[in-house]
Amino acid sequence: KAKAEGRNRFHYFSESLQSIAIRRMSVHSDLRTAIKREEFVVFYQPQFDSHGKSIIGIEALVRWQHPSKGLLNPADFLDIAEETGLIVEIDKLVISAASKQYAQWKSQLPSFDNIKMAINISARQFKDEGFLPTIQTTLEEFSLDPSNIELEIVESELVQDFTIALSVINRLNDLGIAVAIDDFGTGYSSLSYLKRLNVQTLKVDRSFLEDVPTSEVSCRLLRGLINLGKSMELKIVVEGVETQEHLNKCIEYDADVSQGYFFAKPMIASDIEKFF
Ligand code: C2E
Ligand code: MG
Ligand code: MG
Ligand code: MG
């Protein structure tokens, strides 16, 4: 019996490995085409001040308008884009599109002053020689100030090549570009590493809002993370604010920025304009 089960399990396993390989190949080749045809669309999600009252930032989030599969989320393709390195090209398309959009909003929307555009980048950019020049050229092309944008890097990616991350972040700082650590609290990075990175912002991962406010421990942990960031003199963004109760805790614990479905989901550019 054990043998039969083992064989079945093996059969199941090899089948799923095969389907993983097939998915990888098809997504990979579709992504190449998508980059050439610029099939990516940028969605935007507003970020709110410490009272949850006014917009102080906007995060750019990539979507893929796939010709046959429809609109895809990062979860559908980001892993393959990372593995294959194509993410480097995708990020550059997003940086360019978001900067262009920012320039347009700045000239069209009267209350758009002091809004920051947060753009997610893969830590792979750090190893790409073209990265810093691309950023600079893009800022110049759209007459943006470096302080208009903030780059977000996921915590777990930062620690993989810490020395490189450290030096690229320093160079970004020299250019006046702020850097945020995304999904903070999920990346196993040691605090002594974090201390050495010249980042300006921590984005507390949305998993820390689970069971808030019902669980005392979860509330204290959220407060602790916010205080930890504050003691490092960082700007604290809480992601995944879905309810009034979540927002109340962010206000009580004095987070600087709140972002989440409670305010708005990521949306197309024209819908953002309705907020202003
Ligand atoms: P992230 O940067 O942490 O962005 C937040 C994610 O949580 C977004 O998912 C957003 O739609 C979602 N979200 C926002 N508010 C809420 C909420 O209240 N509840 C819940 N459950 N979810 C919320 P999305 O757009 O699917 O992006 C997933 C991840 O993909 C991002 O996580 C980011 O790490 C990555 N990503 C997105 N765009 C880019 C990009 O242009 N380049 C790179 N390298 N990565 C990107
Ligand atoms: Mg982000
Ligand atoms: Mg995040
Ligand atoms: Mg995330």
Side-chain angles (χ1 to χ4, degrees), residues 44-59 114-116 118 152 201 203 235-242 247 250-251 254-267 271-272 274-276:
Y44 298 93
Q45 187 180 33
Q47 303 177 320
F48 288 77
D49 68 2
S50 55
H51 309 287
K53 291 242 156 32
S54 49
I55 301 186
I56 55 168
I58 293 173
E59 180 172 8
N114 300 321
I115 304 276
K116 248 190 203 307
E152 299 190 353
T201 302
K203 297 192 78 175
K235 180 173 89 183
I236 313 299
V237 182
V238 178
E239 333 183 80
V241 174
E242 293 183 349
L247 174 61
C250 292
I251 295 171
D254 205 20
D256 301 295
V257 184
S258 308
Q259 177 181 359
Y261 295 170
F262 175 68
F263 302 102
K265 290 195 171 180
M267 60 190 95
D271 284 338
I272 282 284
K274 295 174 191 149
F275 272 86
F276 283 89

Side-chain angles (χ1 to χ4, degrees), residues 165-215:
L166 191 77
S167 83
V168 179
I169 288 173
N170 284 341
R171 277 151 78 196
L172 285 167
N173 274 274
D174 292 341
L175 295 173
I177 298 171
V179 178
I181 298 188
D182 209 341
D183 300 355
F184 178 63
T186 64
Y188 312 101
S189 60
S190 80
L191 293 174
S192 68
Y193 272 22
L194 276 182
K195 202 177 126 186
R196 291 169 57 201
L197 289 173
N198 289 317
V199 297
Q200 285 68 41
T201 302
L202 284 188
K203 297 192 78 175
V204 176
D205 189 69
R206 69 161 186 267
S207 58
F208 293 100
L209 283 178
E210 264 168 39
D211 307 320
V212 168
T214 40
S215 151

Side-chain angles (χ1 to χ4, degrees), residues 43 60 64 71 75 121 151 161 200 214 226 234 247-248 263-264:
F43 274 46
W64 176 8
L71 192 69
I121 57 159
L151 299 177
D161 275 297
Q200 285 68 41
T214 40
I226 292 172
L234 301 173
L247 174 61
N248 291 345
F263 302 102

Side-chain angles (χ1 to χ4, degrees), residues 42-43 45 59-63 73-75 77-78 82 87-88 90-95 119-123 125 152-154 157 182-183 203 205-206 209 239-243 246 259-266:
V42 184
F43 274 46
Q45 187 180 33
E59 180 172 8
L61 294 154
V62 71
R63 301 288 181 264
N73 284 321
F77 60 90
L78 216 63
E82 287 277 353
I87 189 65
V88 173
I90 298 171
D91 282 354
K92 284 176 182 161
L93 292 173
V94 174
I95 290 168
I119 302 174
N120 294 282
I121 57 159
S122 163
Q125 297 295 348
E152 299 190 353
I153 302 136
V154 174
E157 292 187 28
D182 209 341
D183 300 355
K203 297 192 78 175
D205 189 69
R206 69 161 186 267
L209 283 178
E239 333 183 80
V241 174
E242 293 183 349
T243 63
H246 285 164
Q259 177 181 359
Y261 295 170
F262 175 68
F263 302 102
K265 290 195 171 180

